[in-house]
Amino acid sequence: MVRAGQIGPEVGSARPEADRWVVERPKRPEHGDLSTNVAMALAKTARKPPRAVAEALVAALRGLEGDVVAAAEVAGPGFVNLRLHPAVFQQEVERVLHAGAGWGRAPSAIGERIDIEFVSANPTGPVTVASGRNAVLGDSVARLLEASGHRVTREYYINDRGNQVRAFADSVRAAAEGREPPENGYKGAYVAELASWLKGVAPELLTGADVEALGRACVTWMLRGVPGSPTLPGIRPSLAALRVHFDVWFSEESLYRWDAVAAVMRQLEAGGYLVENDGALFFRAPDGALEDKDRVVRKSDGTWAYFASDIAYFADKIARGYERLINVLGADHHGYVARVRNALGALGLPQDRFEALLYQLVYITKGGEAVKSSKRAGNIVTVDEVMDEIDEAAGRKGAGADALRFFFLSRSANSNVEFDIELAKKKSLDNPVFYVQYGYARLRSIQRRAEEIGLAPRAVPLPGDLAMLSHPDELALCHKLSDFPGMIAEASRTREPHRVVFYVQELARDFQSYFTRLKNEQDPILPPRSVHANADWQGSWNVAKTRARLAWIEAIRITYAQALGIVGIEAPERMERPAEGDAADVVAEDAGDER
RNA sequence: GCCUCCGUAGCUCAGCGGAAGAGCACCGGGCUUCGAACCCGGGCGCAGAGGUUCGAAUCCUCUCGGGGGCUCCA
């Protein structure tokens, strides 16, 4: 039975997996407010045609028509479509207002302790557009998980040792000495920039023999950024500009310093999981493992491969008590998943705690032509460049972060993304994020005007007011609001923030459509100036209806704000029309992360 | 060869057992009043073939096409 004011969750819970029937929200309004296929599912056991079962069900429902169900009818092959009383939708407004900032969110007591590791790009260059997808996806999944009651730690794993760091240090040193970078070295302009900065702050590292110390210094400044340098904004500040923040920055090198790597290797050795071949050490997965290839942990030159410290790192995370370890990884790391699970199994740790969130790669094009680039070659495009361009075009700081986040989050992780430099240049203001934000600013504008004439939009509606919500668009939007908690729960469960983006886009469209319709119907929400200029305007105006609509608008605003918060997009109080003129140049690059 | 993601409207993509969608582009229309960065109207589209099912864009198999992986690895 559907209970008034509880449309959303009831729909979600009315899904016994054992049976094959559901009560669901039809996509098309002419199919009613709720719909069920139960008659079709029962037709077989009842040995009657689906429509006959449906007719019987509708006849039984007739007696129940009352406060909730307004009409029931048989449709199509045997669907039972229900129409609900307006009161069911009207009460949804109170439900949202009552929940306020907690609307759509689950209490944190029910969740897991989750560690989500994302970005973790090699700290040998600025944050690229490709890493930007990882950052935005990981961050929004983290926000979603929190919204659905989990306790989340956001973690960035710093690969601050190994071949790449050494090559980076060598390149910086070469630049400091005016030489060409070595073979496989880094060639970007920021390398020279970093070299000249280090000359000022730590010249002894550039001339000394300790490459590892130099490498650590290079990584440190790469993460922090060099003050005032456009080519070296720093990984942490760049991510912060994208509204991506971490709780833990975990150093790979520290795993060696604490002998954590040695410890797990001893354990694997004792279990017989390590085999030597041609002077190198391999991890051999247990029989029946997910993948049976041997994986290098120590190369024949005696240096440890990344996989060695990765094992120690995962063991450390489990020791820290997380119930779930999520890694956000590009599809090119897909082979890594089985390897990590095998290693956890060999250590006697629970394999199923590790969950890989894979996303397909970002392709950079320019006017439709593929652009190949890499961090080492130095022809990268950074998130900072893109965000700056869009900020400038829109005339608002943060517009670039909004546009970039929306762009990456408006498709599923399973979908390849093409990022076209030319298009980004020309079309930055066409990003649908601005449409969505405009809708929010418009809501706030109505609320401000209401306050000016003494109608506080956030006041709880008086008893009976909400019955004034009768416009079909208003009731339809109430229904849309009732979908919100279930949508959040589902998006969290499936780790799919793009659902939130689509939802908020639909919410924006529905509201803006309604708003224009009211204008055409000459049925304004607020009294026009000619009315409220009169001192006792409240006597000649349907104030209850206005109060109801303002309460309803506040419910929409709350939902809007919650949705935007989860995808990390700003909900602006106002939006000014951007200045005329061409958008400035925007550049981009590809998934050139060598990790 | 094996594993994996994808193929839905001109383009970019949602939908992933239940009654085919959005944005952009294109064509036409709409601002004296609460924000036109807007709204309204215009669509012969699920790569192909089998199978499972009352019902398949959705699940299974195969074919075709594209992306990504597959032991001294970043």
Side-chain angles (χ1 to χ4, degrees):
Chain A
M1 188 62 197
V2 178
R3 202 150 37 87
Q6 293 279 321
I7 316 167
E10 294 298 328
V11 173
S13 60
R15 282 179 162 255
E17 290 300 325
D19 301 325
R20 307 230 323 209
W21 63 276
V22 290
V23 176
E24 62 182 1
R25 172 82 190 273
K27 279 172 258 184
R28 304 159 64 135
E30 58 269 32
H31 295 147
D33 299 317
L34 290 175
S35 176
T36 178
N37 63 344
V38 65
M40 289 180 286
L42 292 176
K44 204 174 200 174
T45 46
R47 284 198 288 237
K48 285 180 182 169
R51 284 194 66 103
V53 178
E55 295 288 357
L57 188 62
V58 167
L61 277 168
R62 287 264 146 73
L64 291 171
E65 286 175 12
D67 289 349
V68 177
V69 177
E73 61 177 24
V74 180
F79 289 101
V80 175
N81 293 340
L82 305 177
R83 284 184 199 285
L84 306 181
H85 269 294
V88 176
F89 301 114
Q90 290 157 356
Q91 284 165 27
E92 202 63 21
V93 171
E94 282 183 328
R95 195 175 155 214
V96 178
L97 296 181
H98 184 257
W103 170 237
R105 309 182 82 89
S108 66
I110 67 169
E112 295 179 307
R113 285 194 64 197
I114 300 180
D115 182 277
I116 178 166
E117 181 204 327
F118 57 110
V119 189
S120 298
N122 262 343
T124 54
V127 180
T128 64
V129 168
S131 296
R133 183 177 199 190
N134 189 316
V136 162
L137 178 64
D139 177 70
S140 290
V141 168
R143 291 170 191 244
L144 258 179
L145 293 169
E146 283 174 337
S148 58
H150 301 290
R151 284 161 294 164
V152 178
T153 299
R154 295 159 168 83
E155 193 149 332
Y156 188 119
Y157 183 54
I158 309 166
N159 295 114
D160 52 356
R161 43 138 262 132
N163 287 342
Q164 294 307 319
V165 172
R166 175 175 283 264
F168 187 42
D170 288 342
S171 303
V172 170
R173 176 170 292 174
E177 294 168 1
R179 291 184 285 111
E180 287 296 304
E183 188 91 6
N184 287 329
Y186 289 78
K187 299 178 176 64
Y190 65 90
V191 176
E193 188 96 1
L194 181 55
S196 74
W197 172 258
L198 286 176
K199 273 183 188 169
V201 295
E204 70 286 356
L205 288 175
L206 287 164
T207 52
D210 192 345
V211 187
E212 286 178 16
L214 175 60
R216 283 196 296 274
C218 290
V219 166
T220 297
W221 290 106
M222 205 63 242
L223 288 168
R224 291 172 62 170
V226 165
S229 166
T231 54
L232 262 179
I235 289 170
R236 193 158 50 181
S238 294
L239 291 172
L242 248 190
R243 308 195 190 102
V244 175
H245 302 274
F246 291 89
D247 303 302
V248 175
W249 295 78
F250 197 101
S251 157
E252 181 195 5
E253 190 268 336
S254 70
L255 290 165
Y256 290 89
R257 245 187 299 134
W258 305 336
D259 285 332
V261 177
V264 290
M265 287 305 141
R266 271 196 304 276
Q267 205 182 330
L268 290 175
E269 173 75 57
Y273 297 111
L274 296 182
V275 295
E276 221 169 319
N277 194 9
D278 293 339
L281 196 61
F282 293 83
F283 167 71
R284 174 164 292 173
D287 289 340
L290 303 129
E291 179 204 53
D292 55 4
K293 286 177 176 159
D294 294 345
R295 298 292 171 180
V296 197
V297 290
R298 196 185 58 216
K299 293 172 269 183
S300 54
D301 66 3
T303 62
W304 293 99
Y306 277 134
F307 188 43
S309 35
D310 286 346
I311 297 170
Y313 181 40
F314 277 97
D316 182 82
K317 287 198 234 184
I318 287 178
R320 279 188 266 150
Y322 295 110
E323 294 156 271
R324 186 167 296 276
L325 310 174
I326 298 178
N327 266 47
V328 181
L329 298 168
D332 53 338
H333 287 78
H334 135 87
Y336 176 80
V337 178
R339 221 177 303 173
V340 170
R341 287 234 170 88
N342 285 339
L344 292 177
L347 289 171
L349 298 172
Q351 299 176 297
D352 56 359
R353 287 197 192 177
F354 173 60
E355 173 184 327
L357 182 51
L358 295 166
Y359 62 92
Q360 300 300 312
L361 299 181
V362 180
Y363 295 95
I364 308 299
T365 57
K366 185 171 184 178
E369 303 252 331
V371 176
K372 212 53 192 159
S373 65
S374 85
K375 217 172 259 184
R376 272 181 299 222
N379 57 341
I380 52 171
V381 180
T382 66
V383 292
D384 296 275
E385 298 172 51
V386 175
M387 287 191 291
D388 289 349
E389 296 287 355
I390 300 173
D391 280 355
E392 196 180 329
R396 177 170 62 89
K397 189 83 183 152
D402 291 330
L404 208 50
R405 291 190 71 114
F406 201 92
F407 177 78
F408 282 131
L409 293 174
S410 59
R411 57 211 72 209
S412 126
N414 284 335
S415 176
N416 282 112
V417 171
E418 181 183 333
F419 191 95
D420 194 289
I421 303 170
E422 299 282 328
L423 278 182
K425 235 189 258 184
K426 280 191 286 215
K427 304 267 187 178
S428 61
L429 295 181
D430 287 348
N431 192 309
V433 73
F434 301 121
Y435 169 81
V436 171
Q437 292 181 313
Y438 178 76
Y440 185 87
R442 184 182 245 175
L443 283 171
R444 290 293 299 124
S445 172
I446 295 168
Q447 294 186 325
R448 281 191 299 268
R449 285 220 48 189
E451 282 178 41
E452 280 168 24
I453 60 170
L455 292 170
R458 288 167 200 201
V460 175
L462 300 176
D465 281 357
L466 289 176
M468 302 303 294
L469 288 177
S470 57
H471 196 289
D473 290 1
E474 290 163 353
L475 298 178
L477 259 158
C478 287
H479 203 168
K480 183 83 189 161
L481 297 184
S482 76
D483 292 338
F484 183 69
M487 183 278 296
I488 293 298
E490 183 68 5
S492 173
R493 192 181 65 75
T494 58
R495 285 80 162 114
E496 292 181 328
H498 74 271
R499 290 170 185 266
V500 183
V501 167
F502 279 86
Y503 178 91
V504 76
Q505 216 168 342
E506 289 162 12
L507 188 66
R509 175 167 39 77
D510 291 349
F511 176 71
Q512 308 229 61
S513 170
Y514 160 84
F515 188 82
T516 306
R517 193 161 300 155
L518 275 196
K519 178 186 276 189
N520 294 337
E521 292 168 3
Q522 312 216 329
D523 180 19
I525 295 165
L526 299 173
R529 291 181 203 286
S530 56
V531 172
H532 80 254
N534 192 334
D536 65 339
W537 63 271
Q538 301 212 5
S540 60
W541 182 259
N542 188 342
V543 184
K545 184 174 171 185
T546 294
R547 271 199 307 266
R549 284 175 164 177
L550 288 173
W552 174 82
I553 281 173
E554 173 61 4
I556 296 171
R557 190 202 64 78
I558 287 169
T559 307
Y560 227 121
Q562 288 299 309
L564 288 176
I566 284 168
V567 287
I569 288 169
E570 204 174 306
E573 293 292 302
R574 292 184 170 78
M575 280 180 82
E576 286 157 35
R577 179 177 264 100
E580 289 295 317
D582 293 342
D585 293 327
V586 175
V587 239
E589 116 255 3
D590 110 300
D593 183 10
E594 292 93 6
R595 170 56 229 274

